[in-house]
Amino acid sequence: MTKDQKIKSLISELSKIYPEPRLALNFSNGFELLVAVILSAQCTDERVNKVTADLFKKYSAPGDYLKTPDKDLQEDIRSTGFYKNKARALKACCQKLSEEFQGKIPQNIDELTALPGVGRKTAAMVLGNVYGKNEGIAVDTHVKRVIQRLEISKENSVDKMERELMELIPREKWTWASNAAILFGRNICQSRKPKCPECPLRQWCPYPDKTV
């Protein structure tokens, strides 16, 4: 199968399983999702959701993070791991949001990725899931695994893989495809124990009985 054929098959099958895929992270606005994604680095979504359940009650705007002493913020996010680095990233991000964007999330991927601690994956997730703007594809570890195993792309660089996928997938499906592939990678095409027998893509996967 060609890459175009594989992408069409992937989209077709994933649309049956995840017609309206939603992120596992809890949020009610763009700023909350931005914070949640920053905290999700090297941490499970479940843990992040437990932390943000209280965090979002305490901090509702960039200014709330900026006026909080470093030690207090670190303690509030400690259980997400790497809490000192994440606290610094949050404050730096909030500083620029306050100084250059009046505390509001910029709805342009170039401006959003200019914020400290915000890469294209984070920006694409925020813009797509909150504002309905398909400006990128969020290539996380799950998406990268699925795409590489299906040999749609052999790129190791997430930026190069994203550019390749953006050429293969219709723009109006970028956010949907990101969310669906993340769920598929998390639930079926798992890292160590992929559920190959129940995989709807097994018939044309190059590794139908893959084990790691």
Side-chain angles (χ1 to χ4, degrees):
M1 297 177 71
T2 65
K3 288 184 179 181
D4 283 333
Q5 291 173 324
K6 287 183 177 182
I7 280 291
K8 288 179 181 178
S9 296
L10 178 62
I11 290 174
S12 176
E13 292 301 324
L14 290 186
S15 65
K16 298 175 185 176
I17 310 173
Y18 308 111
E20 296 182 5
R22 296 177 59 84
L23 294 178
L25 294 170
N26 295 331
F27 62 94
S28 60
N29 56 55
F31 180 61
E32 288 187 354
L33 180 56
L34 180 62
V35 171
V37 176
I38 291 175
L39 294 178
S40 70
Q42 303 297 314
C43 182
T44 65
D45 290 343
E46 291 78 11
R47 169 55 58 185
V48 172
N49 287 337
K50 289 181 180 180
V51 170
T52 57
D54 292 324
L55 194 72
F56 292 160
K57 295 176 183 177
K58 186 175 181 180
Y59 307 87
S60 60
D64 296 330
Y65 289 86
L66 294 176
K67 68 184 181 184
T68 300
D70 291 349
K71 289 185 177 180
D72 291 347
L73 178 57
Q74 291 172 10
E75 191 60 34
D76 287 337
I77 64 173
R78 177 183 288 270
S79 64
T80 66
F82 304 98
Y83 60 93
K84 291 184 179 179
N85 289 337
K86 290 179 181 180
R88 280 195 294 269
L90 284 174
K91 283 209 167 187
C93 181
C94 289
Q95 187 71 43
K96 191 160 187 174
L97 276 174
S98 297
E99 293 177 350
E100 299 185 20
F101 301 101
Q102 295 75 51
K104 298 180 180 179
I105 299 295
Q107 296 183 36
N108 172 286
I109 198 163
D110 291 328
E111 292 180 335
L112 196 49
T113 53
L115 296 174
V118 179
R120 285 191 60 87
K121 181 195 77 171
T122 299
M125 291 174 74
V126 172
L127 292 173
N129 287 280
V130 180
Y131 304 106
K133 296 179 179 291
N134 290 293
E135 293 205 24
I137 294 177
V139 180
D140 75 343
T141 55
H142 299 295
V143 174
K144 184 178 181 181
R145 182 191 322 120
V146 171
I147 296 303
Q148 286 183 331
R149 284 182 177 174
L150 294 175
E151 294 187 349
I152 292 173
S153 173
K154 296 182 180 180
E155 294 288 352
N156 282 316
S157 164
V158 293
D159 290 337
K160 291 181 179 179
M161 180 178 286
E162 183 195 16
R163 287 196 291 271
E164 189 171 357
L165 292 176
M166 288 167 69
E167 294 179 358
L168 293 169
I169 300 173
R171 182 166 187 151
E172 66 272 14
K173 290 185 177 294
W174 285 357
T175 300
W176 170 85
S178 300
N179 292 354
I182 287 171
L183 292 175
F184 181 73
R186 177 179 290 134
N187 299 329
I188 297 177
C189 193
Q190 299 171 345
S191 178
R192 298 192 179 187
K193 294 183 179 180
K195 301 177 182 178
C196 296
E198 61 188 76
C199 177
L201 310 177
R202 189 174 186 272
Q203 59 183 338
W204 54 274
C205 176
Y207 306 99
D209 298 299
K210 185 174 180 63
T211 57
V212 178

